[in-house]
Amino acid sequence: RRVFVDGAHAPGQVPGLDVPAIGADMYAGNLHKWLFAPTAVAMVYATEEMRCELHHPIISHNYASTPNTESLLDEAVMLGTRDYAPLMAVPAAVRFWRRVGGGGVLEVRNRDLALRAGRMLAAAWGTTLGTPESMVTSMCMVALPEVLGTTLEDGIRLRLQLLTGTRHLQAASHGAYDRAALQYFVPAGGKLWFRLSAGIYNELREFEVMRDTVLSMVKEA
């Protein structure tokens, strides 16, 4: 049996991430989410045994040319006409991440903001957090008031309403914002949930705008 870990958000968000120490056969994580690398840059880790068995999904130069622990790396060196610029930017992204506090300070700051914002929204809306606080890093799940809906269709409607701009949002933000782009609302357990993310560029007042916008929508529901 093989163990593969999907650690999409972990790099740059989880303090002291030690991938080999996890003991998985394979581990994958994105570098464009919390490490400030360009879009679509990711990493994959595999044990020596696994590297002997793996091939790159795109067949190109060096395919199966060196059947050893480095074969997968060799196969990824040249993949047709792929643009390598995003990959070449990774060292600069990591240096920037460290310069702004990555590796300890930034992760603690983001977790504190995510918890403060999540608790504030849940208290104001009379709902709950969907993530145990011990598992919160820079993100957590927050339930919306049930009066706004409970189904996927309700979530789509709310998302479009916020995206196209509503008087609720404009009033709550005093005109600073005229639309809110939320990825999606997830229905589960008879409620709608959304994932709150707290980055280096966020402040609590931005989540206060979301709080007041939803409260305004609740009044008219």
Side-chain angles (χ1 to χ4, degrees), residues 38-215:
T39 301
V41 175
M43 54 79 69
V44 62
Y45 163 87
T47 62
E48 289 190 3
E49 180 183 358
M50 285 298 299
R51 290 201 297 270
C52 292
E53 303 177 17
L54 296 173
H55 290 288
H56 198 284
I58 299 177
I59 298 177
S60 188
H61 298 278
N62 299 325
Y63 182 80
S65 61
T66 53
N68 54 47
T69 58
E70 301 304 321
S71 59
L72 179 61
L73 180 60
D74 290 340
E75 292 177 14
V77 168
M78 185 179 294
L79 298 174
T81 58
R82 180 176 181 177
D83 180 11
Y84 292 92
L87 300 178
M88 295 173 67
V90 170
V94 172
R95 288 194 297 270
F96 175 78
W97 172 73
R98 288 174 175 163
R99 191 163 65 246
V100 297
V105 175
L106 181 59
E107 294 92 323
V108 172
R109 180 264 180 194
N110 286 348
R111 180 180 188 276
D112 177 68
L113 178 57
L115 274 175
R116 290 171 60 201
R119 290 166 178 164
M120 174 192 68
L121 295 178
W125 299 342
T127 63
T128 60
L129 298 183
T131 309
E133 293 195 2
S134 61
M135 296 179 62
V136 171
T137 49
S138 300
M139 306 182 297
C140 67
M141 301 296 291
V142 184
L144 290 174
E146 292 185 28
V147 69
L148 295 179
T150 60
T151 67
L152 179 61
E153 290 72 21
D154 293 329
I156 294 173
R157 172 180 52 79
L158 289 174
R159 180 181 182 275
L160 291 176
Q161 189 176 1
L162 290 169
L163 184 62
T164 56
T166 67
R167 64 183 184 280
H168 304 288
L169 176 61
Q170 293 168 4
S173 65
H174 304 289
Y177 303 97
D178 60 3
R179 66 191 64 192
L182 281 83
Q183 187 175 16
Y184 48 72
F185 294 101
V186 180
K191 300 177 182 179
L192 284 176
W193 302 81
F194 83 100
R195 188 176 67 195
L196 180 157
S197 297
I200 189 175
Y201 37 77
N202 293 125
E203 298 177 355
L204 187 63
R205 63 180 179 177
E206 294 170 318
F207 299 105
E208 291 172 347
V209 170
M210 181 66 178
R211 174 198 64 194
D212 296 341
T213 299
V214 170
L215 289 176

